[in-house]
Amino acid sequence: MNIDEDIMAYARTDDESGSHNNNEDFEFEEYIVPDTDRSINENVLDEAFGIITTGIEPLEITEAGAKLTAYISTGRRNDIRLGMYVIVPYGDEDLFARIWKLQYLQEFDVDDATEIHSMRMLKSNTTSEMDYKFLAYLDPICILYEQKKEGMITRRMSDRIPRPNTPIMPVNDKIKIQTGLNIPKEGIFMGHLSVGGELIRTHASPPTVPYYLRNDYSMGDPLVFRHLLICGSTGTGKTFLTKNIIRQFMDEDNRYQLRLDSETKKNPCFVIMDPQDEYSQLFEDNDVLTSEDENNFRSHRINYGRWSRTRTFAAKVQDHKYSGKSRAQQIEFTIPFEVVRSNSWLIAPAGMTELQYIAMDLLLDDYFRKGNITRPTYRGFIDYISDAGTRATYVDSGKIHEASYDGIVRRVNNPSFKKVFDQDAAPITEMLADVFKPGYISVFPTEYINSPRIRDLIVLTLMTVIVDNKLSTSGNLDVKNTPIILGLDEAHRYLARVDGEHSRRIVSKFADAARQGRKEGLGLLLITQDPQDIDDTVFKQVNTRVILNLTNDSAINALNVAKEYQKRIPYLKKGQMIIHSPDNSDIVEITGLSRCVVRHI
């Protein structure tokens, strides 16, 4: 029997001609859909973006990466954005992933790269979404599962591959988002989670997802003592954001342990170096806040309103008068020359050699050890080194070369210093108990001073007072026993990566402070528009980096964030930021508050 005859043997006919018997009825067996265990609710499926597909390339998860492709349904394509977070359910647990690539592919093999097709579409675009495959490529972040004993959702690395045709779901559960991105459930409020400037909304109330910075001892020391950096171009809202962050630290219930007595906890003292006289406004309420704003703040446990324990400390400088931009208490102080004794670089300008610094230290040490001085002053030191007899003592004995000696005198004798040292006010060294008071904000403005050299001297002196007393075993107890957060605006001016002995000495001191800040209760909040200029030894100690809009490529590259986030930085709008804090969460984009919680003008 040939093949044709074999086939015809199965055909029912009335006669040999092969005509079908139309009178005979055919009965087909009914197909019953298997009653499988479907863990995904039918109502939830209506929200699905699409399904996992193997039609383009195989599904794959390895220890080095993954290839997960999703087909997006035509009705949900307008909802998909690059960087979105999605859930792929397994049934008993979920894959938490991020969309890292979007792609269109032709459904039918058509050459649309022709002039005829181009002209036709320009005249009348009849393109249908059904004609194209819309694909989303997923980057697995983790797997979310519920711990049976604790009943809590937790996460682990992505070690399961989703089945083909599994739905891709939006993440509507706030806890799943926070757990998936490893965001603490409480702490210092920084902003709300967003993607491309759009706030992520869930089914919770309130619907937005708050981002908190860890502020407890559950996983080591609070992250503020691992230091923060806020960077952004001029006009991107650094001061606005910094005020909101500072206010979150100022709370009666926010207390930190002391190194000398771990059983005792104290409120922090926030010390801010203020070049534009803006932070004293923390003393004032924001009058434009509405009741709706206040309700929103309370719903996310956001501190708002004036902090009455805000004070302004203004250095008394000859021919300069501080008027102030707020009603906060103003206290005058002066810088005593004695702080220079172990910090010669405070009065030594840039450009001095290491040998000149050694000679300078020798001159200072001998001056302070003179028995006939009741009170060492800057003018007294200048008179001492300008004296011909003093010069002869050091030069003739060979202790200091005459060229070095004359160079030191010429460089140190600065008229600006006479205006700031030893003025008619209380010395800052005798006010430490008032300045570094737990639960207080101490603002040091410098805007009223027109000399950059004097401004730098004041800021560096205050930084030195804090660091020396914190790190020294014999430091002042009012400083050592108070958790201090030092806010340094225009940080690049003082911690710059510059060659020379002067800069090396400054950076070395504050690099030590950054390294030991965690155990000494000293946190740094650095604010700058030029993060690339901050010295690497300090920069590497900063654990949390808050990145606003930057357009300088060297500044962006210095931040060492993933490439997909680097590309977003120049496009961040005011209020948008990227947070890179490895010990707190995965790298994320957030949007800050649209209103300042205190006065901001």
Side-chain angles (χ1 to χ4, degrees), residues 239 243 274 276-282 489 599-601:
T239 303
K243 284 182 178 180
D274 187 0
Q276 300 296 329
D277 195 14
E278 296 175 297
Y279 294 100
S280 61
Q281 294 170 8
L282 285 155
D489 208 337
R599 190 182 185 194
H600 181 73
I601 55 174

Side-chain angles (χ1 to χ4, degrees), residues 181-201:
L181 295 171
N182 204 27
I183 300 172
K185 307 301 186 299
E186 59 183 7
I188 299 299
F189 176 84
M190 305 289 285
H192 293 102
L193 202 63
S194 60
V195 173
E198 296 287 335
L199 291 177
I200 294 178
R201 298 187 178 275

Side-chain angles (χ1 to χ4, degrees), residues 425-445:
I428 188 67
T429 51
E430 298 177 9
M431 301 169 58
L432 300 183
D434 287 331
V435 175
F436 305 105
K437 207 168 190 177
Y440 279 73
I441 297 175
S442 297
V443 182
F444 290 85

Side-chain angles (χ1 to χ4, degrees), residues 252-304:
E252 290 293 343
D253 296 330
N254 185 32
R255 297 173 180 268
Y256 300 112
Q257 296 176 359
L258 301 177
R259 182 190 177 193
L260 301 179
D261 183 7
S262 59
E263 298 299 322
T264 303
K265 292 186 176 182
K266 287 187 177 181
N267 297 120
C269 174
F270 212 112
V271 180
I272 182 78
M273 304 299 158
D274 187 0
Q276 300 296 329
D277 195 14
E278 296 175 297
Y279 294 100
S280 61
Q281 294 170 8
L282 285 155
F283 182 80
E284 311 279 353
D285 283 317
N286 187 351
D287 295 333
V288 302
L289 292 182
T290 64
S291 57
E292 182 180 358
D293 293 326
E294 294 176 356
N295 289 334
N296 288 335
F297 294 157
R298 285 192 291 266
S299 66
H300 283 300
R301 305 190 303 277
I302 300 172
N303 295 328
Y304 68 95

Side-chain angles (χ1 to χ4, degrees), residues 250 269-283 307-317 320-335 420 425-449 454-455 457-459 461-463 465-466 478-479 484-487:
M250 308 317 294
C269 174
F270 212 112
V271 180
I272 182 78
M273 304 299 158
D274 187 0
Q276 300 296 329
D277 195 14
E278 296 175 297
Y279 294 100
S280 61
Q281 294 170 8
L282 285 155
F283 182 80
W307 189 251
S308 60
R309 284 172 281 179
T310 300
R311 296 176 301 176
T312 302
F313 292 86
K316 188 167 185 178
V317 180
H320 296 78
K321 180 66 176 176
Y322 175 69
S323 56
K325 294 182 179 179
S326 78
R327 294 175 297 164
Q329 181 184 3
Q330 298 177 17
I331 303 171
E332 273 193 332
F333 70 93
T334 188
I335 298 176
V420 63
I428 188 67
T429 51
E430 298 177 9
M431 301 169 58
L432 300 183
D434 287 331
V435 175
F436 305 105
K437 207 168 190 177
Y440 279 73
I441 297 175
S442 297
V443 182
F444 290 85
T446 58
E447 183 193 33
Y448 65 101
I449 303 169
I454 295 178
R455 289 201 300 267
L457 172 63
I458 293 171
V459 172
T461 298
L462 294 167
M463 293 167 63
V465 168
I466 295 173
D478 292 311
V479 181
I484 295 174
I485 304 171
L486 172 60

Side-chain angles (χ1 to χ4, degrees), residues 394-492:
Y394 289 96
V395 173
D396 294 346
S397 65
K399 291 182 178 180
I400 304 176
H401 190 275
E402 60 179 342
S404 294
Y405 191 97
D406 293 338
I408 291 172
V409 174
R410 187 169 57 254
R411 288 170 178 267
V412 172
N413 190 0
N414 189 324
S416 297
F417 292 157
K418 297 176 182 178
K419 297 181 178 181
V420 63
F421 280 117
D422 310 309
Q423 298 298 305
D424 183 21
I428 188 67
T429 51
E430 298 177 9
M431 301 169 58
L432 300 183
D434 287 331
V435 175
F436 305 105
K437 207 168 190 177
Y440 279 73
I441 297 175
S442 297
V443 182
F444 290 85
T446 58
E447 183 193 33
Y448 65 101
I449 303 169
N450 57 24
S451 168
R453 190 70 184 90
I454 295 178
R455 289 201 300 267
D456 292 349
L457 172 63
I458 293 171
V459 172
L460 290 172
T461 298
L462 294 167
M463 293 167 63
T464 299
V465 168
I466 295 173
V467 172
D468 285 352
N469 284 286
K470 273 291 186 184
L471 302 189
S472 173
T473 55
S474 59
N476 181 279
L477 292 180
D478 292 311
V479 181
K480 290 189 71 68
N481 291 340
T482 301
I484 295 174
I485 304 171
L486 172 60
L488 185 59
D489 208 337
E490 296 186 1
H492 57 279

